[in-house]
Amino acid sequence: MDFERNIAKVSGIAAVSTILDVVSRTTGMGFTAVARVTGDRWITCASRDELAFGLKPGDELKVETTICHEIRQSREAVVIDNVSEDAAYCKHHTPAQYGFQSYISVPIILPDGSFFGTLCAIDPKPRKLRTPEIIGMFKLFAELIASHLDAADRVELIENRLALEQRNAELREQFIAVLGHDLRNPLASIQGGLRLLNKKVDDEGKNWINLLQGSVARMAGLIDNVMDFARARLGAGMQLKLREQALEPVIKQIVAEFENVHPDRVIETVVSVPGSVRIDADRIGQMLSNLLGNAISYGAANEPIRVLAQATGAGFDISVANKGAPIPAEAMPRLFTAFDRGDVLPNQKGLGLGLYIAQEIARAHGGLIVASSMRDETVFTASLPATRASG
């Protein structure tokens, strides 16, 4: 057993010194203590000694020489006003060995039912202890100490779990970051190889290469999402490079990339945001790409996807709408939570990072993405301010 930890826990209870002082002043007892008692050990955890009895925190008595040893077995308090006149204890070896005439000790029982030790007091003079007030006070103080010990255990357990979770989270996120970084190099090689092959193959080969390029593009998007998630969770946050520029070319470029990779899907685009807006074009493109990727994956394949960007009084909106089965109501509150897709949409594949990263990009711009899903259409709308102060 970790007795040093027991002593530290009792010492950490601010009320213990007050309890021992009150006990001493109320009863007149010269030595009061909180002891940890086990089957083979009796150790002082806290004491108030006006008798020069000589026990301080960490000091030990042979457990078999103490009455606390018997209290541990019976779990009942022992109260002696005057050893010489007490039929049960006048010939007991403990009072004779330690030279006391009055004695009181009550068990400290933890909320889980385990025996911790005792709150006890001794004095060489007889004292009137066998009263409801004195016994009730001791029992109340013993319960208070037990409650504090239990609370300390709970706090320690929570802190240990929190520390373990933090260590696991840091290791997990560092692993994700390293993995994402290391995946970029072979992916770049694959992309380069496909570009070279595309110049040397026939039309059928080009079709296969287009399919492979689509898969590579999806892998690149997944790696970007994983890297952004790792950076955000490791404290760097979503980094932006803001500048004034037109929104329409940004949107049309992303849509064109999807049309090239998914020639069988129809994407209808309307952009009505005149002038320029202050944005990070790469991040906005990534946000739209994630929303479009979601629509491609979960929308009806034979229905068009609609991308609409329009100015509003506060700034501008970018929305992506698709036909198809609605999102279950129970999934809606957690759509933008990382790694939750398997819980809320058990039949869907993926890490569930796309919508999370899209939302983080919108928030970094000072905006927000909201989703609505009716019987025949699902719409994700990013509402963003026209400008946002840098920093």
Side-chain angles (χ1 to χ4, degrees):
M1 289 188 179
D2 190 350
F3 292 103
E4 289 185 1
R5 178 169 165 266
N6 294 148
I7 295 168
K9 284 198 301 180
V10 173
S11 299
I13 302 173
V16 166
S17 62
T18 302
I19 288 172
L20 297 181
D21 183 63
V22 170
V23 165
S24 179
R25 293 177 184 275
T26 303
T27 63
M29 309 288 274
F31 178 83
T32 56
V34 174
R36 176 72 169 106
V37 183
T38 67
D40 56 0
R41 305 286 294 274
W42 188 105
I43 297 175
T44 309
C45 292
S47 65
R48 187 178 190 276
D49 189 0
E50 296 180 354
L51 301 177
F53 192 61
L55 288 179
K56 59 185 182 300
D59 289 343
E60 186 170 356
L61 297 176
K62 290 185 177 180
V63 70
E64 62 272 12
T65 69
T66 69
I67 296 176
C68 294
H69 181 56
E70 300 166 15
I71 294 173
R72 179 180 176 274
Q73 296 172 329
S74 67
R75 297 199 171 200
E76 296 291 337
V78 172
V79 184
I80 307 171
D81 288 346
N82 188 338
V83 170
S84 300
E85 299 176 356
D86 192 292
Y89 288 95
C90 63
K91 295 182 180 181
H92 196 282
H93 62 88
T94 298
Q97 181 171 347
Y98 294 112
F100 61 79
Q101 283 298 311
S102 54
Y103 175 91
I104 181 170
S105 181
V106 298
I108 298 173
I109 309 296
L110 299 177
D112 64 1
S114 60
F115 182 91
F116 178 85
T118 60
L119 172 62
C120 56
I122 64 172
D123 196 83
K125 297 178 181 180
R127 303 288 181 183
K128 188 171 180 57
L129 304 174
R130 197 179 293 277
T131 68
E133 292 80 11
I134 296 297
I135 296 173
M137 178 185 70
F138 265 78
K139 288 183 176 179
L140 178 62
F141 283 157
E143 290 174 4
L144 180 61
I145 292 170
S147 177
H148 276 285
L149 289 170
D150 181 63
D153 281 339
R154 290 177 183 273
V155 169
E156 184 179 32
L157 179 62
I158 291 171
E159 288 177 344
N160 289 340
R161 286 179 177 174
L162 179 60
L164 179 61
E165 283 300 316
Q166 288 174 333
R167 288 195 296 271
N168 288 341
E170 288 173 1
L171 287 173
R172 180 173 61 247
E173 287 156 10
Q174 287 169 3
F175 170 77
I176 290 172
V178 171
L179 179 63
H181 181 272
D182 289 348
L183 283 174
R184 289 184 183 276
N185 290 333
L187 194 62
S189 298
I190 294 171
Q191 287 175 317
L194 289 175
R195 283 194 295 270
L196 289 175
L197 283 174
N198 197 44
K199 299 176 182 179
K200 300 180 180 181
V201 298
D202 55 19
D203 290 341
E204 183 179 356
K206 289 181 184 295
N207 290 335
W208 282 105
I209 287 175
N210 286 337
L211 290 173
L212 291 173
Q213 286 175 328
S215 297
V216 168
R218 175 166 169 74
M219 289 174 64
L222 289 172
I223 291 172
D224 287 341
N225 286 339
V226 167
M227 293 293 287
D228 283 333
F229 173 78
R231 290 191 193 101
R233 293 295 292 270
L234 290 172
M238 185 66 65
Q239 303 297 308
L240 298 182
K241 296 179 181 178
L242 300 169
R243 67 184 182 91
E244 297 285 337
Q245 62 189 105
L247 184 63
E248 185 171 1
V250 176
I251 292 177
K252 288 193 172 180
Q253 177 184 344
I254 299 300
V255 171
E257 290 175 0
F258 270 82
E259 288 175 333
N260 182 58
V261 175
H262 303 280
D264 56 326
R265 302 299 294 268
V266 176
I267 303 176
E268 300 173 351
T269 306
V270 177
V271 180
S272 181
V273 182
S276 62
V277 289
R278 193 161 182 261
I279 57 171
D280 182 323
D282 290 337
R283 289 298 191 184
I284 292 296
Q286 184 184 3
M287 180 188 76
L288 177 59
S289 179
N290 287 355
L291 295 179
L292 273 173
N294 188 75
I296 291 285
S297 297
Y298 306 127
N302 60 342
E303 295 285 352
I305 296 169
R306 295 185 296 107
V307 177
L308 173 62
Q310 58 184 351
T312 65
F316 62 95
D317 290 349
I318 300 175
S319 65
V320 176
N322 63 266
K323 302 289 187 180
I327 300 171
E330 62 272 18
M332 293 295 288
R334 296 166 62 188
L335 280 179
F336 300 101
T337 303
F339 301 127
D340 264 358
R341 174 165 295 164
D343 294 332
V344 298
L345 298 171
N347 295 323
Q348 307 294 356
K349 297 179 180 179
L351 293 175
L353 283 178
L355 293 179
Y356 168 81
I357 297 298
Q359 184 69 282
E360 291 302 302
I361 292 171
R363 285 175 174 161
H365 280 82
L368 192 70
I369 300 176
V370 296
S372 64
S373 190
M374 305 300 178
R375 184 178 62 180
D376 60 346
E377 186 177 62
T378 295
V379 183
F380 287 85
T381 302
S383 297
L384 306 172
T387 59
R388 180 178 183 272
S390 61

